[in-house]
Amino acid sequence: MARIVVIGAGMGAMAAAARLAVAGHRVTVYERGGTYGGAVRRFERDGFAFDTGPGLLHLPAVYRDLFVKTGKEPLEDCVELTQVDPASRHVFADGTRVDLPNASRAGTVSALDAALGDGAGERWGDFMVRAREAWDRTRRPLLEEPQPADPSTLGREPYPALKPGLLRRRTTRLSGIGARELRDPRLVALLDSYAWAYGFDPATAPAAAAVLPYMEQTFGTWYVSGGIRALADAVYERCRKRRVEFVFDSAVTDVLEKYGRAVGIALEGGEAVEADHVVAGAPVPSLYREHIVGWDDQDEWPRHQVAGTGRVTVCLALRGARDADAVHRTVVHGTGDRPTVTVLRPDDPALRPDGAHESVTVTATVPTTGREGWEGTAGRMVAQAETAVPGLRERLLWQEVRTPDDTLRETGAAEVPGPALAGARGRFLPAANLSPLAGLHFAGGWSHPGGGLAHAGMSGALVAGLIVEGADFRGSR
């Protein structure tokens, strides 16, 4: 039995903790805040409740696997999962609307043809075929295996873009691929919206980001009854049942090192905790920035994804019942100074005082350098949301604005990391699960395979495998 300490109680860290406890290790989680879940938070007031982190789940198989491997109760015995259909409604800048079905390629092609004109669906379908090639080339090394010691092969662009001709140059950026291959500005906006939803600017994201819409449209979109926070509750309870110990309001200030190996942690009060392995679930940049691990010089930090973007979320408490033709998720595409926003309207009694009220969240991706403009951004976001929520202004009781400053306070980083992406010479790869210091492992959204609920859960599985099986671990099977 090894002594394992985990820094932070985010989703990836808890996923690792539960698996390690089942393997027979003694696991203690130290969380600097007063609760678990990392960015998976909930805001409550006057009987209204809102997810302030992710609001939907993709690739639920990751958490099904976690619950199968850590106990007798499957995931569906602990939370209620519902497929969201339509998966999303899109309202484009010219007023065109289209509802995209959940996990149906043929349905998506048909819907796009009907809304955008003949041929639009075929172009999107052909694009998804090429996106699938990129997915097939990178799925295992980016999702199921530990990051290789030399990740240079993952820096090569896997997306099979159309070959350049006499009058066109090769492009490796998502925005360029969209403009060239989709042509219709509404299809380009549709593609761009998937990148923005994961925190990527399409102008700088590699073409490999095409796997993001492919992943959602292939494996589906799911809602957890009671909100995504209910999933964090379930993972936390699973950890407790496996006898993982949690110590809240206990900040870690240092990773202790001896003979070139991590041997424990130091707490804010000066207490030292010995360990055979340390799993860091806190944001990798904050570990370096706050000198919890070495590399005081930012230029010498080990590689990690530099997000540069965060989330502004506006929680809207509305009087009046949810209208009958409302959908769960609407993406209102912006133009100019109007941001693209995602409006979530879950039909969930657990999130509202009664049937005569409604809880709505509006989210947009923003650069983390724009502190002075976040309140103005929130106002423009609400104006955009009126397209999706009829009579919003008249129905509004109150609103709560959450900015990257709140994310920084709650998680240690203002940015929200995205999934690992191949291409761009490795600039969109997160930190490896094996840190440069022996005995120290990275789990969670800032480590391989990157951000997002499913990816964070995968990172926990990879870290547990590396600790339990050691150098022989080759990834999930």
Side-chain angles (χ1 to χ4, degrees):
M1 176 189 293
R3 300 165 299 174
I4 299 175
V5 297
V6 179
I7 304 172
M11 297 297 283
M14 289 197 295
R19 291 175 182 270
L20 289 167
V22 167
H25 300 299
R26 192 174 72 212
V27 184
T28 304
V29 178
Y30 292 88
E31 165 59 49
R32 71 176 190 170
T35 189
Y36 50 85
V40 182
R41 299 274 175 150
R42 169 174 290 172
F43 176 75
E44 297 182 80
R45 175 181 160 190
D46 300 338
F48 293 90
F50 309 85
D51 281 325
T52 59
L56 294 169
L57 176 64
H58 307 289
L59 294 175
V62 172
Y63 287 92
R64 290 191 180 113
D65 182 71
L66 171 65
F67 276 71
V68 166
K69 300 289 177 57
T70 60
K72 296 180 179 180
E73 308 97 337
L75 176 63
E76 277 82 351
D77 282 0
C78 302
V79 297
E80 181 182 350
L81 291 177
T82 306
Q83 280 192 299
V84 176
D85 204 1
S88 56
R89 171 175 292 167
H90 290 261
V91 182
F92 297 102
D94 67 353
T96 307
R97 295 176 178 239
V98 60
D99 288 356
L100 300 183
N102 198 338
S104 171
R105 177 184 171 185
T108 296
V109 168
S110 177
L112 290 172
D113 273 339
L116 308 186
D118 290 344
E122 181 180 3
R123 288 197 299 278
W124 182 262
D126 290 345
F127 177 74
M128 284 294 100
V129 169
R130 292 187 288 277
R132 178 178 179 174
E133 289 189 46
W135 171 267
D136 289 342
R137 292 172 181 175
T138 60
R139 175 183 58 83
R140 185 148 185 84
L142 278 187
L143 298 179
E144 299 172 2
E145 297 175 344
Q147 196 178 96
D150 178 8
S152 58
T153 57
L154 295 176
R156 300 170 191 159
E157 178 56 63
Y159 178 78
L162 296 177
K163 294 181 179 180
L166 292 176
L167 299 179
R168 65 172 185 252
R169 299 178 180 177
R170 183 177 297 278
T171 178
T172 58
R173 294 290 176 264
L174 187 68
S175 59
I177 292 294
R180 173 174 296 173
E181 300 182 18
L182 297 175
R183 300 193 293 278
D184 188 315
R186 295 165 297 184
L187 288 179
V188 175
L190 174 62
L191 173 61
D192 289 352
S193 70
Y194 285 97
W196 284 119
Y198 284 93
F200 298 120
D201 183 341
T204 58
V211 301
L212 301 177
Y214 173 81
M215 178 181 70
E216 286 200 22
Q217 294 188 8
T218 301
F219 301 105
T221 300
W222 301 76
Y223 177 67
V224 180
S225 295
I228 292 293
R229 179 64 184 182
L231 178 63
D233 295 340
V235 175
Y236 172 70
E237 290 301 327
R238 177 54 53 91
C239 286
R240 292 291 303 274
K241 288 180 179 179
R242 301 288 82 83
R243 299 186 179 180
V244 175
E245 181 181 357
F246 286 81
V247 183
F248 294 106
D249 299 312
S250 187
V252 175
T253 59
D254 195 12
V255 173
L256 303 178
E257 179 183 350
K258 188 175 183 180
Y259 304 128
R261 180 180 177 84
V263 294
I265 59 172
L267 302 178
E268 195 169 42
E271 177 186 357
V273 180
E274 296 182 352
D276 299 298
H277 299 274
V278 177
V279 176
V284 171
S286 72
L287 293 171
Y288 298 133
R289 186 172 55 246
E290 297 171 17
H291 305 165
I292 294 172
V293 296
W295 294 279
D296 292 350
D297 185 349
Q298 183 169 346
D299 293 334
E300 297 180 3
W301 288 357
R303 190 202 63 255
H304 63 276
Q305 192 182 86
V306 180
T309 59
R311 302 277 196 276
V312 170
T313 299
V314 185
C315 306
L316 302 174
L318 304 183
R319 65 169 63 88
R322 183 178 185 267
D323 44 296
D325 65 344
V327 299
H328 192 118
R329 174 172 60 168
T330 301
V331 179
V332 183
H333 295 264
T335 183
D337 66 346
R338 292 186 295 161
T340 293
V341 300
T342 298
V343 182
L344 296 183
R345 305 179 67 187
D347 188 10
D348 190 340
L351 304 184
R352 58 187 183 234
D354 51 48
H357 295 85
E358 183 182 7
S359 297
V360 175
T361 59
V362 185
T363 305
T365 296
V366 297
T368 52
T369 54
R371 283 179 168 79
E372 297 80 6
W374 286 336
E375 288 297 330
T377 296
R380 291 189 292 273
M381 289 167 58
V382 173
Q384 284 283 84
E386 290 187 87
T387 303
V389 186
L392 188 155
R393 296 281 184 180
E394 293 74 24
R395 297 176 58 198
L396 183 62
L397 294 171
W398 51 263
Q399 69 180 42
E400 174 76 12
V401 179
R402 311 275 296 180
T403 75
D405 283 338
D406 297 297
T407 308
L408 174 62
R409 173 174 48 81
E410 294 171 351
T411 70
E415 301 85 2
V416 177
L421 296 177
R425 299 182 179 179
R427 292 202 311 275
F428 291 85
L429 296 177
N433 302 116
L434 285 172
S435 87
L437 177 64
L440 173 65
H441 298 74
F442 293 143
W446 285 95
S447 62
H448 182 76
L453 279 171
H455 292 71
M458 292 177 203
S459 79
L462 291 172
V463 166
L466 287 166
I467 291 176
V468 172
E469 299 185 29
D472 294 332
F473 181 62
R474 293 293 179 266
S476 305
R477 297 292 177 183

